[in-house]
Amino acid sequence: AEHQHVRYNPLRDDWVLVSAHRVKRPWQGQLEKPPPEDVPRWDPKNPLCPGATRANGEVNPEYESTFVFPNDFPALQPDAPEPDDSDHPLFRAAPAQGVCKVMCFHPWSDLTLPLMSLPEIRAVIDAWAALVTELGASYPWVQIFENKGAMMGCSNPHPHCQVWASSFLPNEARLEDQTQRQHLSQHGVPMLLEYAEQEARRKERLVVENADWLVVVPYWATWPYQTLLLPRRHVCRLQDLSDSEKDSLASIMQRLLIKYDNLFEVSFPYSMGWHGAPTGTYLEEDCRHWQLHAHYYPPLLRSATVRKFMVGYEMLAQAQRDLTPEQAAERLRSLPEVHYK
C-alpha cells in the first residue's frame, strides 16, 4: 500500500507499475470541466433524439425504448476493397470489412444508465444480446462499447453506445483469446472463472456482488477506479445468459454506476465494453477458454476535475497507477447505493 511494485496482468500478459505513494503529491496540472448539469431532455437539434434529423437526412422514429441505427460515419464498411499485396514484410496490410451501429439507451437525453430503471437497463442488455447474435452470425468479433462523458471523447450527451462488428479479431480480442486459451490448457479451468472465484473469496478488491455477478477492481487494474464485471458461472457470450442472469446484470450494473456517480458526485465518465468469445466461424469452434466479461475504464483520479493521463512513462514504458486497486475498491465499496441526485 505504501511502496512501489509491479503487478502481472494475465489477461494481457503484461505488467503495471503501482506507485501508491504518488497520490500524495500536490496537483498543479490540468483541471477538467465538470459535465453539464443542464442537458435538455429533448432537443430537435440533437441527432440522437426521437424525431430528430441526423446528418444524412434520416429522421429518427419516435422511439420509446432502445433505438439502433447504422452509424452515419462508420469506421468499418461491409464493401471496402481489399488492399494491394505488399512488396515487403515490413509493409503489410490486410482486408478490413465490418458494420458500425449506434444504440440509444433511452429517448431522454438527460438520463444515464445509473438513473434509468431496472426494466430500462434490462432492455439495453436485451438489445446488446440481440446485436451480438445478429452481427455475430457473419462477423468474428462484435465490440459493444460505451464512451460516457466528453472527457472520454463522447461528442453527444444522449445515453448511447456503439457496436462495431469486424471481419477480423482486434488486438485486444486476439490477445485475450491467446491468454485465456493458454490458461485453460495449463490449469484446466477458464482464467476469469477461476479469477472470479478467487476474488469472491478474498473480497479485498470486491466492489459489489449478487447471486450471478461480481464487480472487482482487478488486481492488475491500470486506471484509478477501473472495474471488471464477471459472471459467477461459466458463460462465453452475452446471448448465453438466462433471463434471470440478465435481470441480475441490470441490477449490478445500476449499483456499480450509482457508486461511480457518487464517488465525486458527478456523472462519472468512463469507457466500457463487453468481451466474449468470438463469433462468426468461431461459433463452430471450441471456445471454452473464454469467459464473458465487461471492462470499465474511468479516467478520474482525485476529484471530478483531476484525471489520470496515460502519457510519458505509460506510452513509452508500461502502465502506471497512483493508488492500489485495494484502496480504490475500498473507496467504491463504502459508497452508498442511492444516487446522490
Side-chain angles (χ1 to χ4, degrees):
E2 294 294 331
H3 302 286
Q4 70 268 13
H5 58 281
V6 291
R7 296 191 183 193
Y8 180 62
N9 181 347
L11 197 56
R12 300 195 75 259
D13 189 27
D14 64 9
W15 295 80
V16 57
L17 172 62
V18 182
S19 310
H21 57 285
R22 274 170 53 86
V23 79
K24 300 174 184 177
R25 77 193 193 280
W27 181 257
Q28 295 179 316
Q30 178 172 319
L31 297 179
E32 309 294 334
K33 292 182 179 179
E37 296 282 348
D38 57 348
V39 176
R41 179 156 291 183
W42 183 83
D43 181 354
K45 297 179 181 179
N46 186 330
L48 298 186
C49 281
T53 302
R54 303 201 307 274
N56 63 354
E58 294 280 341
V59 178
N60 296 335
E62 297 290 344
Y63 65 92
E64 297 181 350
S65 180
T66 59
F67 169 51
V68 179
F69 62 92
N71 193 314
D72 297 329
F73 303 96
L76 293 162
Q77 296 175 322
D79 53 358
E82 296 190 5
D84 296 333
D85 292 336
S86 172
D87 62 354
H88 193 281
L90 293 178
F91 301 92
R92 290 191 296 168
Q97 288 89 29
V99 172
C100 297
K101 293 182 179 288
V102 176
M103 188 180 105
C104 296
F105 296 154
H106 195 279
W108 294 357
S109 292
D110 59 344
L111 277 191
T112 55
L113 281 170
L115 295 173
M116 289 166 55
S117 69
L118 289 178
E120 289 168 339
I121 299 173
R122 170 63 195 269
V124 171
I125 294 167
D126 286 338
W128 281 341
L131 281 168
V132 175
T133 301
E134 174 195 344
L135 298 174
S138 305
Y139 292 99
W141 190 255
V142 182
Q143 183 60 65
I144 297 168
F145 65 97
E146 179 194 4
N147 294 326
K148 180 170 177 268
M151 197 181 301
M152 296 308 289
C154 183
S155 60
N156 192 310
H158 194 93
H160 71 286
C161 72
Q162 298 190 54
V163 184
W164 293 11
S166 61
S167 60
F168 55 91
L169 286 189
N171 293 341
E172 293 296 313
R174 191 157 39 87
L175 185 55
E176 288 193 3
D177 185 65
Q178 293 169 0
T179 57
Q180 290 181 97
R181 187 185 299 276
Q182 184 178 20
H183 187 92
L184 180 64
S185 174
Q186 292 179 349
H187 301 281
V189 61
M191 177 198 295
L192 292 181
L193 182 62
E194 181 178 10
Y195 179 68
E197 292 170 350
Q198 286 288 323
E199 290 287 31
R201 180 175 61 82
R202 295 169 186 257
K203 296 192 181 301
E204 58 188 330
R205 285 169 295 274
L206 192 65
V207 178
V208 287
E209 64 178 329
N210 61 25
D212 300 313
W213 301 87
L214 69 157
V215 175
V216 300
V217 178
Y219 178 79
W220 52 81
T222 299
W223 294 92
Y225 292 97
Q226 176 180 334
T227 54
L228 185 63
L229 172 57
L230 295 161
R232 291 186 184 271
R233 76 171 179 97
H234 187 203
V235 184
C236 289
R237 302 176 177 93
L238 265 173
Q239 59 267 45
D240 298 333
L241 296 174
S242 66
D243 283 341
S244 63
E245 286 171 330
K246 291 176 183 176
D247 285 338
S248 58
L249 174 56
S251 173
I252 204 164
M253 283 174 55
Q254 185 188 61
R255 292 169 63 196
L256 169 65
L257 297 179
I258 286 174
K259 284 180 177 289
Y260 269 162
D261 281 9
N262 285 345
L263 179 61
F264 299 128
E265 294 195 349
V266 69
S267 184
F268 206 70
Y270 58 75
S271 285
M272 71 80 64
W274 284 99
H275 283 173
T279 49
T281 56
Y282 290 89
L283 292 168
E284 305 300 321
E285 297 185 11
D286 184 357
C287 290
R288 287 176 299 163
H289 55 291
W290 270 92
Q291 174 75 328
L292 177 69
H293 59 283
H295 296 281
Y296 285 83
Y297 299 134
L300 294 180
L301 173 58
R302 300 164 180 248
S303 70
T305 60
V306 177
R307 68 178 298 182
K308 165 70 175 178
F309 285 92
M310 292 293 180
V311 294
Y313 189 86
E314 290 88 355
M315 295 177 70
L316 296 165
Q318 70 180 31
Q320 180 269 336
R321 61 179 291 120
D322 287 354
L323 77 165
T324 69
E326 293 75 27
Q327 291 166 336
E330 182 179 11
R331 188 165 183 190
L332 289 172
R333 188 168 55 242
S334 66
L335 292 166
E337 295 187 8
V338 176
H339 199 277
Y340 74 94
K341 285 190 174 181

